[in-house]
């Protein structure tokens, strides 16, 4: 069975390292905060100017002066701090934020990512994505393996205008976990019950498969 | 003490003209100078260049100026959430310069800090790089981005004093302190204006030297763009 968006987030949460600062993008990445493994302490940064972001507020406790980069109302945890946008991107550009998780429309086998523009159709802007992918040490992409038309989003080369070059380290999709290596995409794990053949069929790029590919473990 | 207080929004806006460049603080609808925007949207000034992270929504924030076609060019990082904006952009009525958010923030900061340009890795290898100098530092390519300044910067703070010192609240701070630095004339509107001496100098975010005019906003709607809540178990 292919993973749900929640399960993609749950699998990515296994990548969180103890005592690190993490920036979560809009969409599936936001859900990662719901599945932090026991014993792992992380602080979430949102590029509009908060570190130590907590869960969404209870109804009636929303504060218009407290939002995340997706413009959703949030809360802060003990130890949180608020700052201006230049300080926020100093944390990002200066590589003080250790992990970035973000969504993508396309990823290519050399680690390029496209997620900000579809010429003639959708031009919302890059927001903080270009700064994030240009600087983060570790970048994990959370996305569906194929687009709404059923076409592979994992490509030899990106077809859309790119957001950053040579930056993605790992991809978790509804079908698989892939690592971006110097030689291209390496298949690391399969979604439970999904065969290697199914993953190959859904992937335009070549896959390096050099051992028995285990199923993702959610226990 | 240099007194920066103006008596109303009309006086705060004196000198604004068509074809000027404005910086407008805020992220989404959080921390936007609501009173200045409302007053500007009633003035007959057109051909404006607006530097603002976002472009408001259809009926609020900078959306009000877009609706009256007062803006000729937007310099922003993210402009979703506004259908009229998208229409004007795709039809070519509105010129749009999209800039990575961190570069936008730093360009404003640089403009206010007297740094004419800087190198950043953001945007290398993308459309953003086009026409810009590329240089390698520490084995990594960077692109040259120039500073931004504006004829007027409109910012919004939580509290301010008569000397123009500002304190922001929550994530409503965002671009406001940076734009305050980069405006030739910076107009700060605050929720609560107090006498100089009432704010603790240790707690001030934006020093009054960056602010030319200050006033208490008449009213604040503080609209929430994406109200998101969890339910009590």
């Amino acid at each position: 069975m292919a993973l749900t968006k929640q399960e993609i987030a749950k699998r990515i949460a296994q990548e969180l390292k103890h005592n690190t600062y993490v920036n979560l993008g809009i969409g599936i990445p936001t859900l990662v905060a719901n599945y932090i493994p026991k014993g792992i302490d992380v602080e979430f940064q949102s590029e509009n100017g908060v570190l130590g972001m907590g869960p969404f507020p209870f109804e009636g406790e929303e504060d218009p002066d407290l939002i995340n980069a997706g413009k959703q109302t949030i809360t802060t945890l003990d130890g949180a701090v608020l700052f201006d946008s230049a300080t926020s991107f100093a944390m990002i550009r200066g590589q003080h934020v250790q992990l970035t998780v973000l969504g993508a429309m396309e990823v290519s086998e050399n680690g390029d990512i496209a997620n900000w523009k579809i010429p003639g159709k959708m031009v919302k802007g890059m927001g903080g994505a270009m700064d994030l992918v240009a600087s983060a040490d570790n970048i994990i992409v959370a996305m569906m393996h194929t687009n709404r038309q059923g076409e592979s989003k994992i490509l030899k080369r990106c077809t859309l205008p790119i957001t950053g070059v040579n930056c993605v380290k790992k991809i978790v999709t509804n079908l698989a976990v892939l690592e971006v290596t110097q030689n291209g995409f390496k298949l690391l794990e399969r979604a439970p019950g999904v065969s290697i053949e199914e993953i190959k069929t859904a992937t335009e790029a070549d896959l390096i498969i050099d051992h028995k590919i285990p199923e993702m473990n959610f226990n | 003490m240099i007194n920066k207080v103006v008596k109303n929004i009309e006086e705060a806006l004196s000198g604004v003209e068509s074809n000027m460049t404005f910086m407008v603080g805020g992220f989404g609808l959080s921390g936007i100078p609501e009173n200045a925007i409302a007053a500007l949207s009633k003035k007959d000034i057109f051909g404006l260049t607006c530097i603002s992270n976002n472009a408001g929504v259809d009926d609020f924030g900078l959306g009000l100026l877009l609706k009256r076609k007062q803006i000729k060019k937007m310099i922003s990082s993210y402009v979703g959430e506004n259908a009229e904006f998208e229409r004007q952009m795709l039809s070519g009525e509105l010129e749009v310069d999209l800039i990575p958010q961190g570069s936008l923030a730093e360009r404003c900061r640089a403009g206010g800090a007297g740094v004419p340009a800087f190198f950043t890795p953001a945007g290398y290898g993308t459309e953003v790089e086009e026409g810009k100098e590329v240089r390698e530092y520490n084995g990594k390519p960077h692109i040259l981005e120039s500073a931004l300044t504006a004829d007027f910067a409109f910012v919004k703070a939580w509290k301010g004093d008569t000397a123009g010192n500002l304190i922001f609240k929550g994530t409503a701070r965002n671009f406001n302190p940076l734009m305050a630095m980069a405006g030739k004339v910076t107009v700060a509107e605050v929720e609560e204006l107090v006498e100089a001496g009432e704010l603790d100098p240790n707690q001030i975010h934006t020093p009054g030297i960056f602010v030319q005019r200050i006033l208490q906003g008449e009213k604040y709607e503080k609209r929430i763009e994406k109200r998101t809540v969890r339910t009590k178990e």
Side-chain angles (χ1 to χ4, degrees), chain B residues 120-136:
Chain B
T120 175
Y124 169 75
T126 75
E127 287 179 11
V128 169
E129 180 204 312
E130 284 169 22
K132 290 173 187 160
E133 185 184 335
V134 176
R135 240 191 248 188
E136 214 167 274

Side-chain angles (χ1 to χ4, degrees), chain A residues 100-118:
Chain A
T100 285
V101 183
L102 77 176
M105 298 192 256
E106 294 177 348
V107 179
S108 73
E109 60 191 15
N110 65 335
D112 291 358
I113 176 172
N115 71 352
W116 75 283
K117 185 177 183 182
I118 304 172

